[in-house]
Amino acid sequence: MKKFIISIITIVLTASIIFSCRKSDNPKLPALTRVPIPLITPDPTANTVIKATDVSGFNGKFSVDLYFKNDIIPKQLDIVVAKNHNYTDGAVKPFKAAIASFPTDVTVTGTQIAMLFPGPIVVGDVFEFGANIILQDGTMFPAFDSVGAAYGQTGGNVDGYPNASLVAAYAVVCPFDRSIFSGGYKIIIDSWQDFDPGDAVTVTPGPGPSQVSLTVYPSPAFGINRKPFIIDIDPATGKVSIASQIIGDYPPSDNNVKISATPGVNSFVDFCSGKIHLGFDLTDAHSGILVTGILEIGK
């Protein structure tokens, strides 16, 4: 019975609250504006990154279209570009105005980017191309607000739509170039202690398109019959593998010493500086593993 009485009281109070609210008590809702959504898609057949070593050689392309093909169309889309996620006043630069036909291809060169953003363009920089939306009545919705969320003032979270693409972004990177892994190299770390920091070793491009040749172990102070060994570089990630191969002899007993990558140790190269970092195992036929060590060399 007590539960029943409480339930009745709850219903009465709820009804009182509901009926005490009047239409005049609520502020008027703002008028809603229908806004078309841009679809900006980088062209994978053009450059998709900017090479730090050849900024002027960059040639990119992206398509400017509408996400909903049969929805209202804007008066125009104005393409703008931001550098390094800086969306403050004056930081976002105009690039191409008055696009009113969809889809439209837009090309961009490294020279154009350099003219818009004076100063050095370096590894780690990123340039984002978006579209300011101009409605038929002239209302403008900027591509980036002060915190970078595209069209954040619309409240629509449009970047979360399936296959939505609101910006074309181009990062400045050092691509893999086998020729950079050549010239004067010096020891940075040698945990096997065949060398001291600063000692010179030989590095040249290898026989394959993503291979580099190193002449390191054994040091002339300790070994003979020295042979170069080949490292294989993943051009996409910079990770390195080393197939087991003979590098020389350590007299009197360690002959036909082989080098290979240490399993589970991160071996890699730096595409920008040419630095090489290897986790390696040295083995021979009669004693097995001689050492597991780290070799790091740079210019």
Side-chain angles (χ1 to χ4, degrees), residues 148-172:
Y151 319 115
Q153 69 275 44
T154 66
N157 296 322
V158 295
D159 55 340
Y161 289 9
N163 301 315
S165 180
L166 298 176
V167 299
Y170 299 101
V172 181

Side-chain angles (χ1 to χ4, degrees), residues 180-216:
I180 195 175
F181 297 96
S182 185
Y185 268 75
K186 296 183 182 299
I187 296 291
I188 300 173
I189 299 171
D190 172 24
S191 65
W192 179 223
Q193 297 183 355
D194 259 23
F195 296 91
D196 294 321
D199 286 350
V201 293
T202 301
V203 177
T204 60
S210 57
Q211 293 181 322
V212 171
S213 174
L214 284 69
T215 305
V216 183

Side-chain angles (χ1 to χ4, degrees), residues 100-184:
S101 177
F102 308 100
T104 291
D105 286 336
V106 175
T107 58
V108 54
T109 68
T111 300
Q112 289 174 307
I113 291 174
M115 291 177 65
L116 286 172
F117 299 95
I121 293 176
V122 299
V123 172
D125 285 345
V126 62
F127 298 91
E128 298 170 290
F129 290 80
N132 291 346
I133 305 168
I134 314 298
L135 302 185
Q136 297 294 339
D137 64 2
T139 303
M140 193 270 283
F141 291 89
F144 309 105
D145 64 22
S146 59
V147 296
Y151 319 115
Q153 69 275 44
T154 66
N157 296 322
V158 295
D159 55 340
Y161 289 9
N163 301 315
S165 180
L166 298 176
V167 299
Y170 299 101
V172 181
V173 301
C174 287
F176 173 67
D177 180 355
R178 186 181 57 156
S179 66
I180 195 175
F181 297 96
S182 185

